[in-house]
Amino acid sequence: MSNGIVKLTDATFDEHVMLADVPVLVDFWADWCGPCKMIAPVLEELATEKQGLLQIAKLDIDENLDVTRRFEVMSIPTLILFKGGELRTRIVGARGKAQLLQEIEEYL
Amino acid sequence: MSEQRQVVVLGSGPAGLTAAIYTARANLKPLVLEGEPSSTSDQPGGQLMLTTEIENFPGFVEGIEGPELMARMRDQAKRFGADFHTRKATRVDLSAPPFKIWTGEASGAAPDVVATSLIIATGAQSLMLGVPGENRLLGHGLSTCATCDGFFFREQDVAVVGGGDSAIEEALFLTRFVRSVTIVHRRAELRASKIMQERAFSNEKISFRWNSVVTELLGESKLTGVALHDLSTAEDSILEVSGVFVAIGHAPSTAVFNGQLELRENGYIQTYGGTRTSVEGVFACGDVQDDTYRQAITAAGSGCSAAIDLERWLDVQEHS
């Protein structure tokens, strides 16, 4: 994927997220979800601007039900920020860039 | 430095995009502040972004998906030269022309955009229930977007709150996934169009709780049910569901115009002789000024009117 955004699966989730050195923002999304498409460009911009400070990762919930259930995601888009192998904050619903940054800033 | 524009359109639903198409074709180079991503109806593309099939927009014999229709309108406006910023106005100053618009942090510094004329098409936002449990359970059983979240409720029991076309459309959509849908409505009959009512009544998965309002969402980390109050019998009961979808109507998005434009008592923008507002050079179209029809096609129609009213107003300004 472009801008160093990682595409996650049930099999690779722990390796890329729980064992990561930098904070990881995981986007739980699906192809049929309009608001998910709308935040895709926001996440791409963040990936470029925060390179080295923040890893952006995407998980297609349709194909990866194990991780989706493990974190009890029941609404998309849901964005979860992980740091040091722990869930730090959960953002439900799409956001503009400024607001999203504000909500994750303290964890970076 | 403020960006200078002859025409700025606030909002990008059918009204805003139609106004953009018309003003772009009049060579006015409109700038559309299309809004910011959200999971409610307050987002680029507006309310139709959360709907599935639209069956009553003329010209689409087989129907068209809401997001697809909005993408087409946006492309059409772009084709004729409209510019788009994915931002929304957080503050405006309409006290004297040119009009000043701030986006993002609405601090005291220079406005982001300065406009000779303005078309307001900020539409309406879905109402939330305003009951205990709402903040805690959003995303944990409470959803603002049936098309996004229906998937998570396979073979489960859910409730839809509301009795208009949007509520019935959500209920019908959800029957693709869920075991049952209970429509909770505060009146004894639906407001929805006859064709939608017939579809709901003939769907085996859909049942009704009439004359009832939700008083609380139950469950700690996950929704387990809703507390209902029956307005006709005054009885309280609990409906066990794992999902709740809210479609109880809309309120106009006019907060930033408060005190600067004449609003009607119910918050909608007051218009005169078409789409003129109480401020000369500011026009309003679509659901932000329409508390009667509120359809995609009437919004588009009034967007066209606003563009024409604005063009005539600009003409008069230039020749006087």
Side-chain angles (χ1 to χ4, degrees):
Chain A
M1 234 178 250
S2 60
N3 301 325
I5 294 179
V6 180
K7 188 179 171 187
L8 301 171
T9 65
D10 281 342
T12 63
F13 182 86
D14 283 340
E15 173 197 345
H16 285 302
V17 177
M18 303 314 261
L19 302 176
D21 300 326
V22 292
V24 186
L25 185 66
V26 181
D27 172 26
F28 292 81
W29 72 287
D31 189 46
W32 68 77
C33 154
C36 298
K37 286 187 184 144
M38 235 177 289
I39 59 163
V42 172
L43 294 175
E44 274 173 33
E45 280 176 35
L46 275 186
T48 307
E49 286 169 25
K50 297 284 173 188
Q51 209 160 21
L53 293 173
L54 174 70
Q55 175 71 53
I56 306 283
K58 293 175 77 102
L59 184 98
D60 184 342
I61 59 137
D62 212 4
E63 291 167 5
N64 301 286
L65 281 175
D66 289 347
V67 171
T68 304
R69 288 200 186 108
R70 182 166 145 201
F71 294 99
E72 298 185 329
V73 171
M74 292 171 74
S75 181
I76 49 173
T78 285
L79 302 169
I80 301 183
L81 186 88
F82 294 88
K83 188 179 179 181
E86 280 174 33
L87 186 160
R88 295 302 173 97
T89 192
R90 176 193 290 258
I91 297 163
V92 177
R95 300 280 197 281
K97 188 171 148 194
Q99 206 195 330
L100 181 58
L101 259 178
Q102 204 183 339
E103 289 182 51
I104 62 172
E105 207 136 52
E106 62 177 295
Y107 306 100
L108 301 188
Chain B
M1 258 286 281
S2 308
E3 188 173 352
Q4 314 260 342
R5 290 283 178 156
Q6 200 165 22
V7 178
V8 170
V9 178
L10 304 181
S12 58
L17 292 180
T18 304
I21 291 168
Y22 272 76
T23 50
R25 285 174 55 86
N27 271 333
L28 295 170
K29 281 285 214 176
L31 169 66
V32 183
L33 297 181
E34 64 177 342
E36 290 187 6
S38 89
S39 290
T40 67
S41 48
D42 177 27
Q43 60 176 302
Q47 293 169 48
L48 293 185
M49 296 303 283
L50 300 184
T51 64
T52 51
E53 190 116 299
I54 298 164
E55 295 180 323
N56 56 8
F57 202 91
F60 296 94
V61 181
E62 308 300 332
I64 183 168
E65 300 279 316
E68 163 79 10
L69 179 62
M70 298 324 296
R72 289 196 195 189
M73 286 191 194
R74 191 178 188 275
D75 287 347
Q76 198 174 352
K78 275 200 132 163
R79 178 181 157 210
F80 295 112
D83 291 320
F84 286 83
H85 289 343
T86 311
R87 282 185 289 170
K88 70 183 196 186
T90 47
R91 180 182 153 203
V92 297
D93 180 352
L94 310 180
S95 57
F99 307 116
K100 302 170 192 70
I101 302 157
W102 287 260
T103 63
E105 291 291 307
S107 51
D112 298 288
V113 189
V114 170
T116 311
S117 63
L118 190 60
I119 291 178
I120 298 174
T122 46
Q125 274 175 275
S126 357
L127 292 170
M128 295 299 283
L129 291 167
V131 299
E134 203 160 50
N135 291 337
R136 185 178 75 242
L137 293 167
L138 182 65
H140 302 280
L142 169 64
S143 172
T144 59
C145 177
T147 53
C148 305
D149 300 339
F151 171 86
F152 295 102
F153 298 91
R154 265 176 215 283
E155 294 306 313
Q156 298 179 36
D157 302 311
V158 302
V160 170
V161 188
D165 272 334
S166 317
I168 304 307
E169 193 200 308
E170 290 200 357
L172 288 165
F173 174 79
L174 287 166
T175 58
R176 298 183 198 176
F177 305 97
V178 303
R179 185 166 58 201
S180 78
V181 182
T182 305
I183 294 178
V184 177
H185 186 41
R186 56 182 302 130
R187 302 181 198 289
E189 56 186 53
L190 299 174
R191 258 184 305 114
S193 56
K194 283 284 177 286
I195 185 168
M196 297 301 277
Q197 292 200 24
E198 276 164 25
R199 283 182 202 169
F201 291 136
S202 65
N203 193 307
E204 286 175 358
K205 287 187 177 180
I206 296 179
S207 60
F208 295 86
R209 287 291 284 267
W210 303 108
N211 300 308
S212 296
V213 292
V214 175
T215 53
E216 189 177 353
L217 302 181
L218 308 170
E220 269 317 304
S221 59
K222 244 184 186 179
L223 184 89
T224 56
V226 293
L228 297 181
H229 179 73
D230 189 315
L231 297 166
S232 58
T233 63
E235 271 169 32
D236 293 309
S237 62
I238 287 173
L239 177 67
E240 283 182 19
V241 286
S242 50
V244 173
F245 297 82
V246 180
I248 54 173
H250 295 86
S253 302
T254 49
V256 295
F257 311 112
N258 226 330
Q260 308 211 38
L261 272 183
E262 187 185 343
L263 305 179
R264 296 203 289 274
E265 246 174 42
N266 56 10
Y268 287 79
I269 293 177
Q270 178 69 50
T271 51
Y272 297 93
T275 64
R276 291 163 185 271
T277 69
S278 60
V279 174
E280 220 183 294
V282 178
F283 304 83
C285 53
D287 283 12
V288 76
Q289 51 84 54
D290 173 13
D291 57 4
T292 310
Y293 307 107
R294 294 185 284 211
Q295 302 297 304
I297 189 71
T298 53
S302 80
C304 166
S305 303
I308 292 172
D309 289 344
L310 176 142
E311 282 168 45
R312 292 186 178 153
W313 180 80
L314 278 177
D315 262 356
V316 172
Q317 304 302 303
E318 278 160 19
H319 295 105
S320 62

